[in-house]
Amino acid sequence: MKALPKIKRHEILRERLINNPFYTDEQLARELSVSIQTIRLDRARLGIPELRERVKNMARSAESKLRAIDSSDVVGDLLDIDLGSRGISVMTVTQDMVIDRTGVARGYYMFAQANTLALAIIDAPAALTGVANVKYIKPIYKGERLVAKAQVIRQRGNKYFIWVKIRNEKEEVFRAKFIVVSLASGE
Amino acid sequence: MKALPKIKRHEILRERLINNPFYTDEQLARELSVSIQTIRLDRARLGIPELRERVKNMARSAESKLRAIDSSDVVGDLLDIDLGSRGISVMTVTQDMVIDRTGVARGYYMFAQANTLALAIIDAPAALTGVANVKYIKPIYKGERLVAKAQVIRQRGNKYFIWVKIRNEKEEVFRAKFIVVSLASGE
DNA sequence: TTAGGTCTTAGTACCAGGTAATAAACAAGG
DNA sequence: CCTTGTTTATTACCTGGTACTAAGACCTAA
């Protein structure tokens, strides 16, 4: 590779660092056949931080994102809860929840919000979802603030029947009915 | 803080670095009232890498995890697909998919696997889930390898009716029926 | 042709956060 | 008293940079 024009090089640089932030300036310099100083100037002009900063930022943001869907028991923020009866959670749809091509939120995020809220309101040390009936009423887009309301509508033995409805600012966008099994008393 | 016994210090050090890997040796030294060299010896003895390595490892592992549930269009690995008709994906249940307290996989992972597979087999540039009916048959535990099979059972206009069944090694553990709407032709 | 501008490269000093190796101080036990 | 474990200090070196100065390369307009 040789003597690319500056603008082209900037494009390549930006793209390279997006899908592999672990490059050092030295590697980039070699691959683009320019000096390290040129790469540094480029990064400065493009506002791209140094390797260590990039990696640190990834580690930090990844940490919080993982917390959101992996580590917590409730997806979204629990606003209000009345154990054994009802609960409310909110979640804001961020860039990484939507399908790039269409800008529509992936369905399993709403499912996750509704499902975890349903499980949270069960007054038992452990509970499992048995059945879910889900209806996606409207597509949901980035930036929308989703409010989920859950309500226990019937309880029979260790089975709970729970309705969850999710609204955005204007209207109902999702609803689900869960049958949740409490594991408190035997199996 | 002063003059802790060595073993105690090791415990604290390990714990501190687990829930905040961003400490430098210098900070740790100050907080534990020992010299930097002592911290370095401790790390060496405990096999804990330096700050930059820790951060790099986090960034790398987080990257792959995020790809799994955020960036890819299919949760799990797509093994086989016959557009407009059927598809198969597999997913292995890892530690971070289970609820620590019970060791049972969170329900929305199976939902995500089934739902994304259902969407993937639709032969259209974009599709949305309209309705989902889900049954969790057996609890699923860490390490299980889940095979999801999806099949389009009916198509009416831009609506597809899809069955997805998930099995572990031995038996069926989950099934779902989705009604998926293709956005290809209008709205 | 020449002066001025932009790009690129080189070189130097400095920094954080380490590794590696050596040596010295100190306490405690037998 | 000597040995042993633990801690601290010191020094040389490493990577992947920042910040700054300076000089050469190349193009363009007067």
Side-chain angles (χ1 to χ4, degrees):
Chain A
M1 183 179 292
K2 263 212 175 149
L4 282 162
K6 192 181 171 184
I7 301 170
K8 188 73 185 162
R9 196 184 57 232
H10 280 191
E11 273 176 44
I12 296 183
L13 192 64
R14 186 178 261 136
E15 188 200 342
R16 275 272 222 292
L17 287 178
I18 282 172
N19 59 57
N20 184 356
F22 295 98
Y23 280 107
T24 62
D25 289 352
E26 203 188 342
Q27 291 176 308
L28 290 165
R30 269 203 306 274
E31 293 191 22
L32 298 177
S33 302
V34 290
S35 69
I36 285 193
Q37 283 77 0
T38 302
I39 297 294
R40 315 247 226 238
L41 281 175
D42 288 352
R43 273 200 301 102
R45 265 181 290 225
L46 296 172
I48 299 173
E50 62 167 288
L51 167 63
R52 287 154 181 164
E53 286 304 312
R54 295 195 300 270
V55 169
K56 203 191 298 172
N57 292 343
M58 284 185 68
R60 282 197 200 285
S61 79
E63 192 186 34
S64 55
K65 263 187 213 158
L66 286 179
R67 286 233 171 94
I69 197 154
D70 283 337
S71 311
S72 82
D73 280 343
V74 174
V75 174
D77 296 317
L78 208 51
L79 285 194
D80 186 24
I81 192 161
D82 186 357
L83 274 178
S85 163
R86 8 156 264 102
I88 298 178
S89 78
V90 296
M91 176 176 81
T92 300
V93 177
T94 56
Q95 175 62 46
D96 47 77
M97 298 183 183
V98 307
I99 300 164
D100 289 337
R101 199 153 32 81
T102 59
V104 177
R106 294 175 215 281
Y108 52 77
Y109 282 99
M110 282 74 77
F111 183 89
Q113 183 188 11
N115 185 227
T116 54
L117 178 61
L119 291 170
I121 66 174
I122 301 300
D123 190 10
L128 276 185
T129 307
V131 172
N133 288 292
V134 177
K135 185 168 185 193
Y136 292 88
I137 301 165
K138 292 276 176 184
I140 293 157
Y141 298 91
K142 179 186 164 188
E144 291 189 30
R145 182 181 146 91
L146 303 178
V147 179
K149 292 189 188 178
Q151 173 94 46
V152 175
I153 50 173
R154 190 157 73 242
Q155 185 190 346
R156 218 155 50 201
N158 61 343
K159 283 207 178 80
Y160 292 77
F161 296 72
I162 300 166
W163 263 108
V164 182
K165 295 174 185 180
I166 300 183
R167 296 176 59 87
N168 63 10
E169 265 79 18
K170 303 188 299 294
E171 57 196 339
E172 190 170 307
V173 293
F174 172 103
R175 62 168 66 186
K177 186 178 73 187
F178 295 101
I179 303 179
V180 171
V181 181
S182 150
L183 299 182
S185 50
E187 212 244 346
Chain B
M1 185 180 289
K2 260 210 178 153
L4 284 160
K6 191 181 172 183
I7 301 171
K8 188 72 184 163
R9 196 184 58 233
H10 280 191
E11 272 176 44
I12 295 184
L13 192 63
R14 187 177 260 136
E15 188 200 341
R16 273 274 222 292
L17 288 179
I18 282 173
N19 58 58
N20 184 357
F22 296 98
Y23 280 106
T24 63
D25 289 353
E26 203 188 339
Q27 291 176 309
L28 291 164
R30 269 203 307 274
E31 293 191 22
L32 298 177
S33 302
V34 289
S35 70
I36 285 192
Q37 283 76 1
T38 302
I39 297 294
R40 314 250 225 239
L41 282 175
D42 288 351
R43 271 199 303 102
R45 265 181 289 222
L46 296 172
I48 299 173
E50 62 167 290
L51 167 64
R52 288 152 180 164
E53 286 304 312
R54 296 195 301 268
V55 170
K56 202 191 299 173
N57 293 343
M58 282 186 71
R60 280 195 202 286
S61 75
E63 190 188 35
S64 55
K65 263 185 215 160
L66 285 180
R67 285 234 170 94
I69 195 152
D70 282 338
S71 310
S72 82
D73 280 343
V74 174
V75 174
D77 296 317
L78 207 52
L79 283 195
D80 185 23
I81 191 160
D82 185 356
L83 273 179
S85 163
R86 11 155 261 100
I88 297 178
S89 79
V90 296
M91 177 176 81
T92 301
V93 177
T94 57
Q95 176 62 46
D96 47 77
M97 298 184 185
V98 307
I99 300 163
D100 290 335
R101 198 154 31 82
T102 59
V104 177
R106 292 175 217 280
Y108 52 77
Y109 282 99
M110 281 74 77
F111 183 88
Q113 184 189 11
N115 185 226
T116 54
L117 179 61
L119 291 171
I121 66 175
I122 299 302
D123 189 9
L128 276 185
T129 308
V131 172
N133 288 290
V134 178
K135 185 168 185 192
Y136 292 88
I137 301 164
K138 291 274 177 186
I140 293 156
Y141 298 90
K142 180 186 162 185
E144 290 190 30
R145 181 181 147 91
L146 302 179
V147 178
K149 292 189 188 179
Q151 172 95 46
V152 175
I153 50 173
R154 190 159 70 242
Q155 186 191 347
R156 218 155 50 200
N158 61 345
K159 282 206 178 82
Y160 292 76
F161 295 72
I162 300 165
W163 263 109
V164 182
K165 296 175 184 180
I166 300 182
R167 296 177 58 89
N168 64 9
E169 266 81 17
K170 305 189 298 293
E171 58 196 336
E172 190 172 305
V173 294
F174 172 102
R175 63 167 66 187
K177 188 178 72 187
F178 295 101
I179 303 179
V180 171
V181 180
S182 151
L183 298 183
S185 50
E187 211 248 348

